[in-house]
Amino acid sequence: MEIIMAIAAGILTMCAVYLILSKSILRIIIGTGLLSHAAHLIVITMGGLKTGAAPVLEEGVTKYTDPLPQALVLTAIVISFGVTAFFLVLAYRAYQELGTDNIEEMKGTDTND
Amino acid sequence: MLHLAILLPLLASLFIPFLYKQFRSVHTGWFVLLVPLTLVIYFSQYISQTMAGETVTQSMQWIPSLGINFVAYLDGLGLLFALLITGIGTLVVLYSIYYLDAKKEALHNFYVYLLLFMTAMLGIVLSDNMIVLYMFWEMTSISSFLLIGYWYERERSRYGAQKSMLITVFGGLSMLGGISILSLLSGSFSIRESFSTLSTYSDDPLFLVALVLFLLAAFTKSAQFPFHIWLPDAMEAPTPVSAYLHSATMVKAGLYLVARMSPIFAETPLWFYLVSGVGMFTLFWGSLNAVKQVDLKAILAYSTISQLGLIMSLLGLGAAALQVEALPDSLYTIATVAAVFHLINHATFKGSLFMMAGIVDHETGTRDLRKLGGLSQLMPVTFTIAMIGTLSMAGVPPFNGFLSKEMFLTGVNQVSESGLFHLETFGFLFPLFAVVGSIFTFVYSLLIVYRTFLGPKQHDKLPKKPHEAPLGMLVSPIFLASLVILIGLFPNLLSNTLIRPAVEAILPQVLAAGGEIDVHIKLWHGFNTELLFTFIIITVGFLLFKTFPKWQSLYHRMPKSFSLNHQYDGLLRRGENVSTGIHDAVMTGYMRSYLVYIFGFIVLLVLSSLFFFDAFAFDVDPLSSISTYEIILVLVLVSSALSITFARSRLTSIILLGVAGYTVALFFVLFRAPDLALTQLVIETVSVALFLLVFYHMPEISRKEERIKFKLGNAAISILVGLSVTLVALASLSQRSFASIAKYYIDNVADLAAGGNMVNVILVDFRGFDTLFEISVLAIAGLGIYAMIHFRKTGGIDK
């Protein structure tokens, strides 16, 4: 399973990079969203998959899944959400001020090249 | 005391602006004059000590932990230079008092720079620690830069200052490299200690690198070919500066360095070749170029280059003395003696000639030889000074230049007879270059006198009505000219007092081997080859001078693009063009290009290191099982991700991103991570809502939507990045080197933290700090979003 997850994460990264290299801001942010999914899946996969029960104490269970990667991913999800939200509003404001969402047109002004 | 003497000009320079502002009626130069005068008297006291072969060492701690201390070391060589610096310094300051107008010039700047320079020069010649030497070395570059650009409102001054700065600092930095290598080899920054441990490291291949680096420094500073080009442009400086820095002192710092490092490097054949070869060619090239100049100071500049080349080649020839110990009559030490002797002579006659040029400029308003002529009756004293100086420079008896030139010819003659370093095959080049160089020296010396003071009178062309200079201006050149005659007639006044101790410092190996340095300069040494050479030089030189108008046009035949100045300017221009070109090509301003660089570099680094460390040995042993659910989820995830990239509308891609996010949440369910699944579901929902919000507010764009154009380059980069991620993941999966620390959390979650949900307990208890700052991140993002929406750019679109 781990091998399949690694390949899936690779494909996710590939799509993310392709989106990030495009011109539209919205697509770039979608790309970063995909990239964070890929990262989270990789972290979970690297911790080892399905090695036991869910990490909640229960009578009679001795084998649990590693809780540490889960805690790390939880933190990462929240942080990437914060950043994504910020970027989305930034893109929105940039569109309002500049009237474009094309990254190649945002190339500095005449006075500030 | 030596330290105080070195730093005295620097200390005095602190008071100059004050004195200048406070005593406006007195020329500031009079206060300055006391400084070099005191120092001359102070340094003359040491003559008797160095004559007896004693040296003075005084040390002051600076950075003892690094072995960098201000060690003042005075021997014959150091003393000779110190006397030159302070002696000529006194005369130049005196001259400048009459040369520079107290009302029109910014005198405080001038004298501060000049005193700074004096300290720097004294520091160079009296330092034993190489780092301190380097510090003073760069200080001369800086103060020379300031002095050349003294009239900074002129464009040529700034050009000359920049040029000299670039070239001499290039040399200075090479010397720093040489110092580093040498101190690594010898284990000490001290020149004397490096010499005493010489035998332990002189075979090291790096030794030759250090040698070349030191020589680069010496050649750039002493204006040797091809680094001589800065000196003629440095003539934009005020004439006292040219006389002091660019004839008598700073340009001799390179000679000093060669002489000072001779004990260490001179036994290497490379040293002999480079120093004598480059010096000889510079002698030839400088004199050849001096003839074609029409500016008085430019002639003198090229003449200085040529004479410095002469001294340099003599120092190189003197190195041969260390090769053949059994030579009779210390045959080669004569070259070193001649070098030191000519060094003194050059300082005297070139100083007086520069002052003469300054007087001519000052009293006629021009230095252009095409406008000057027939000044001998109007300026008889200046004319006499010029006669003495030029004849000495040309090597005519009974002036001092004659003696040193004879000794130079002796040294050159002996080279081909020595049988050293294959000199029997091409040693004849030395006398050839020497004689040709000397002939041209004779020609330009005559040209200076003839075209300035004799020849047709053309006073109507002059900007000013010419007349004799004031007495004060004449004192210094008269003094120097009398020295020229005095040394010429009584050369042995110097031989034991100054020259012998200096030569002993340059060639300590000869003394150590039991040899003696016999300095006895004869005014008349009988009929020999050298005298024949001198006769040839004078005859041919005189003939060439007489026919000068006929062959003058030969100089214009040389294409301009061949000149070294042209090459230098081209080099600067090309350097700028190339760097602008690289910058423009690389820094496109498009974010996409930078992302391509970043991703490309990551791919390159990851794939190459995986390849070189052979990380492809995948181990599939400890893997978990695969179920149908998971396969379906993987297919959903991958196909949604792929469709995003090909989606035509943005709405589709946003919804597909949502699909991917919920699939990830389902994965978390399957991988036994309930908290993650929960969070992922909620956050994906909010994110998609936000995406839709932004999408909704970009109405115009949404209408003219188009599919992303497929770009092969982008696709290749993304495929490679994805591949690297997969490969890294696989490689690290199969190389797990130790067990997880999960057991600790599982065992202690109930006892230590009183909780059952391990993920939550880790988040708020075991690793609570992460959570604290994650909360801060959210808070900052929230505040940032609020600020972005609330605060508007002034003058921008407002709701």
Side-chain angles (χ1 to χ4, degrees):
Chain A
M1 191 62 216
E2 277 89 346
I3 294 176
I4 293 174
M5 288 313 291
I7 293 168
I11 293 172
L12 240 59
T13 315
M14 179 185 87
C15 299
V17 169
Y18 190 80
L19 286 167
I20 286 173
L21 289 175
S22 64
K23 285 182 192 167
S24 147
I25 285 197
L26 209 56
R27 283 194 213 275
I28 291 175
I29 301 177
I30 290 174
T32 59
L34 270 186
L35 197 63
S36 47
H37 287 328
H40 301 157
L41 285 180
I42 285 247
V43 174
I44 280 288
T45 309
M46 290 294 130
L49 295 174
K50 299 190 288 186
T51 49
V56 181
L57 274 191
E58 217 174 313
E59 280 301 321
V61 179
T62 49
K63 266 187 81 113
Y64 293 98
T65 309
D66 193 341
L68 195 57
Q70 297 192 10
L72 296 181
V73 170
L74 195 61
T75 311
I77 288 175
V78 175
I79 289 176
S80 68
F81 167 69
V83 174
T84 308
F86 185 84
F87 276 155
L88 276 172
V89 177
L90 189 67
Y92 163 70
R93 288 284 300 125
Y95 174 72
Q96 269 191 334
E97 293 283 346
L98 305 171
T100 178
D101 78 330
N102 187 341
I103 202 93
E104 312 226 319
E105 286 170 19
M106 301 180 185
K107 224 192 119 187
T109 57
D110 291 339
T111 50
N112 175 28
D113 202 14
Chain B
M1 271 310 279
L2 272 178
H3 293 100
L4 193 65
I6 293 170
L7 295 176
L8 181 68
L10 188 67
L11 296 175
S13 72
L14 295 177
F15 297 98
I16 296 300
F18 169 74
L19 292 169
Y20 175 71
K21 293 266 172 4
Q22 206 63 28
F23 303 100
R24 290 308 287 256
S25 53
V26 186
H27 196 288
T28 319
W30 290 113
F31 302 116
V32 179
L33 190 60
L34 293 174
V35 176
L37 202 60
T38 321
L39 290 174
V40 174
I41 296 165
Y42 171 74
F43 281 118
S44 338
Q45 294 171 358
Y46 285 105
I47 292 179
S48 54
Q49 286 192 32
T50 53
M51 268 174 77
E54 291 167 25
T55 59
V56 185
T57 315
Q58 286 171 14
S59 141
M60 198 169 82
Q61 289 210 329
W62 184 22
I63 316 174
S65 56
L66 296 180
I68 299 172
N69 291 311
F70 189 179
V71 181
Y73 173 72
L74 188 127
D75 61 357
L77 185 64
L79 183 69
L80 168 69
F81 272 92
L83 284 174
L84 270 182
I85 293 159
T86 51
I88 309 268
T90 313
L91 296 172
V92 162
V93 171
L94 182 65
Y95 176 75
S96 72
I97 292 172
Y98 291 91
Y99 187 83
L100 293 172
D101 196 314
K103 291 191 185 69
K104 290 180 195 153
E105 304 285 354
L107 289 177
H108 51 313
N109 292 350
F110 182 80
Y111 286 113
V112 167
Y113 302 158
L114 200 72
L115 287 172
L116 193 69
F117 172 78
M118 205 179 282
T119 283
M121 265 325 279
L122 285 174
I124 288 181
V125 300
L126 295 177
S127 290
D128 179 54
N129 192 294
M130 287 188 276
I131 294 290
V132 178
L133 175 81
Y134 171 73
M135 187 189 75
F136 285 118
W137 186 276
E138 293 298 34
M139 223 166 116
T140 61
S141 296
I142 292 166
S143 49
S144 162
F145 170 80
L146 291 168
L147 282 167
I148 296 169
Y150 175 65
W151 288 310
Y152 53 83
E153 66 282 357
R154 299 183 190 169
E155 208 243 321
R156 293 293 306 169
S157 298
R158 296 198 301 272
Y159 172 78
Q162 186 209 35
K163 193 176 191 177
S164 76
M165 184 76 164
L166 286 176
I167 293 178
T168 54
V169 167
F170 161 73
L173 286 174
S174 333
M175 182 167 83
L176 187 60
I179 290 171
S180 313
I181 294 176
L182 195 62
S183 65
L184 280 177
L185 292 178
S186 71
S188 162
F189 282 120
S190 160
I191 296 174
R192 281 170 306 144
E193 282 174 33
S194 299
F195 171 55
S196 58
T197 55
L198 180 66
S199 53
T200 57
Y201 60 81
S202 55
D203 297 334
D204 198 290
L206 277 177
F207 185 65
L208 289 185
V209 180
L211 183 154
V212 172
L213 289 173
F214 268 104
L215 280 186
L216 268 180
F219 289 166
T220 48
K221 201 73 159 184
S222 280
Q224 298 296 295
F225 186 88
F227 306 111
H228 64 274
I229 47 172
W230 66 268
L231 190 62
D233 283 304
M235 290 302 129
E236 297 301 322
T239 304
V241 172
S242 311
Y244 189 37
L245 274 70
H246 306 128
S247 76
T249 52
M250 188 178 92
V251 288
K252 295 205 167 86
L255 299 175
Y256 169 80
L257 189 72
V258 168
R260 181 53 88 199
M261 302 314 279
S262 273
I264 296 179
F265 291 120
E267 288 181 39
T268 323
L270 186 66
W271 177 270
F272 172 84
Y273 284 126
L274 279 178
V275 178
S276 57
V278 170
M280 199 53 83
F281 191 74
T282 311
L283 159 69
F284 167 74
W285 190 253
S287 62
L288 204 63
N289 274 292
V291 178
K292 72 172 178 184
Q293 306 301 320
V294 289
D295 178 20
L296 207 49
K297 273 173 90 176
I299 297 189
L300 291 177
Y302 276 105
S303 143
T304 304
I305 291 167
S306 151
Q307 304 275 320
L308 291 170
L310 187 152
I311 303 172
M312 190 66 91
S313 69
L314 281 173
L315 285 173
L317 295 178
L322 304 179
Q323 301 291 333
V324 194
E325 285 158 6
L327 275 182
D329 307 332
S330 56
L331 210 56
Y332 287 95
T333 50
I334 191 160
T336 312
V337 172
V340 174
F341 188 39
H342 196 69
L343 193 115
I344 302 170
N345 294 343
H346 178 252
T348 54
F349 66 70
K350 193 54 65 69
S352 71
L353 283 178
F354 266 110
M355 290 176 184
M356 176 280 290
I359 291 171
V360 170
D361 188 14
H362 207 265
E363 303 306 331
T364 64
T366 183
R367 303 190 309 248
D368 194 331
L369 286 182
R370 288 165 300 193
K371 295 181 186 160
L372 294 166
L375 292 172
S376 58
Q377 275 131 39
L378 292 167
M379 306 168 80
V381 184
T382 320
F383 172 57
T384 317
I385 295 164
M387 279 301 284
I388 296 170
T390 46
L391 289 180
S392 173
M393 182 158 75
V396 176
F399 305 107
N400 57 7
F402 168 69
L403 302 173
S404 38
K405 184 145 285 179
E406 291 293 282
M407 293 168 75
F408 165 62
L409 292 172
T410 313
V412 169
N413 258 339
Q414 287 167 353
V415 161
S416 41
E417 298 160 11
S418 69
L420 278 171
F421 315 131
H422 312 292
L423 279 176
E424 62 276 6
T425 44
F426 59 92
F428 72 93
L429 283 173
F430 279 90
L432 185 72
F433 272 116
V435 169
V436 175
S438 303
I439 289 172
F440 279 100
T441 307
F442 191 80
V443 175
Y444 71 69
S445 301
L446 286 187
L447 281 174
I448 291 177
V449 176
Y450 181 77
R451 297 178 69 179
T452 315
F453 294 100
L454 304 171
K457 288 180 188 158
Q458 36 186 351
H459 298 336
D460 46 325
K461 280 190 189 172
L462 298 176
K464 284 187 189 171
K465 196 172 150 36
H467 56 81
E468 187 58 88
L471 182 64
M473 215 183 225
L474 289 169
V475 169
S476 301
I478 288 176
F479 184 80
L480 285 173
S482 352
L483 272 185
V484 170
I485 300 177
L486 198 68
I487 298 172
L489 293 179
F490 307 103
N492 285 316
L493 282 178
L494 287 178
S495 57
N496 266 321
T497 47
L498 287 175
I499 298 177
R500 190 178 47 80
V503 174
E504 284 173 359
I506 299 173
L507 302 170
Q509 284 101 327
V510 173
L511 279 187
E516 252 186 47
I517 290 163
D518 177 35
V519 180
H520 193 75
I521 304 160
K522 283 170 283 198
L523 182 55
W524 178 250
H525 41 66
F527 294 97
N528 50 18
T529 335
E530 292 90 274
L531 200 67
L532 179 70
F533 275 161
T534 307
F535 184 71
I536 293 173
I537 290 167
I538 293 180
T539 320
V540 178
F542 197 74
L543 285 175
L544 280 179
F545 166 69
K546 275 287 168 202
T547 55
F548 179 64
K550 286 176 189 155
W551 52 274
Q552 190 180 12
S553 58
L554 279 180
Y555 276 115
H556 306 297
R557 296 270 170 86
M558 195 172 100
K560 235 190 153 123
S561 55
F562 271 22
S563 83
L564 284 165
N565 277 317
H566 188 86
Q567 298 290 336
Y568 164 83
D569 290 336
L571 193 71
L572 278 194
R573 210 173 38 244
R574 270 198 300 280
E576 278 175 26
N577 288 345
V578 166
S579 56
T580 319
I582 291 176
H583 174 271
D584 287 350
V586 175
M587 307 301 282
T588 53
Y590 294 114
M591 205 164 75
R592 191 184 155 267
S593 350
Y594 306 142
L595 286 169
V596 168
Y597 305 151
I598 295 169
F599 285 130
F601 184 72
I602 291 174
V603 166
L604 203 70
L605 200 68
V606 168
L607 290 184
S608 59
S609 55
L610 280 177
F611 178 75
F612 284 118
F613 293 102
D614 200 22
F616 296 115
F618 298 135
D619 178 14
V620 286
D621 212 22
L623 299 183
S624 56
S625 59
I626 305 168
S627 73
T628 330
Y629 288 125
E630 290 160 346
I631 294 295
I632 293 168
L633 280 183
V634 166
L635 286 178
V636 170
L637 180 66
V638 166
S639 55
S640 65
L642 285 172
S643 348
I644 292 175
T645 50
F646 296 110
R648 186 184 228 98
S649 110
R650 275 156 226 245
L651 196 59
T652 323
S653 37
I654 291 170
I655 289 167
L656 283 171
L657 182 68
V659 171
Y662 290 130
T663 321
V664 171
L666 284 178
F667 269 117
F668 289 151
V669 172
L670 283 180
F671 295 155
R672 322 265 201 277
D675 302 286
L676 287 187
L678 207 61
T679 318
Q680 177 69 27
L681 272 178
V682 174
I683 278 185
E684 197 56 41
T685 313
V686 179
S687 298
V688 169
L690 263 174
F691 270 105
L692 289 174
L693 184 74
V694 172
F695 169 76
Y696 178 75
H697 279 283
M698 295 181 171
E700 288 157 41
I701 288 169
S702 58
R703 259 178 235 127
K704 50 172 182 180
E705 272 194 286
E706 53 190 63
R707 202 164 136 178
I708 316 181
K709 276 191 207 119
F710 181 76
K711 279 189 185 153
L712 199 64
N714 290 1
I717 288 172
S718 6
I719 288 171
L720 285 172
V721 174
L723 187 69
S724 329
V725 169
T726 306
L727 287 177
V728 167
L730 290 178
S732 51
L733 261 180
S734 46
Q735 282 160 14
R736 206 167 282 169
S737 39
F738 44 81
S740 161
I741 55 166
K743 194 173 172 343
Y744 172 81
Y745 294 119
I746 294 165
D747 290 347
N748 291 307
V749 68
D751 304 336
L752 287 184
N757 186 330
M758 293 169 212
V759 174
N760 287 5
V761 167
I762 289 176
L763 282 175
V764 296
D765 194 327
F766 289 122
R767 297 176 60 90
F769 269 121
D770 285 359
T771 314
L772 177 66
F773 291 110
E774 163 196 340
I775 293 168
S776 319
V777 168
L778 271 190
I780 291 167
L783 286 174
I785 288 167
Y786 173 78
M788 256 195 303
I789 292 175
H790 197 70
F791 299 115
R792 290 297 148 104
K793 184 177 139 194
T794 46
I797 310 150
D798 208 342
K799 271 191 195 169

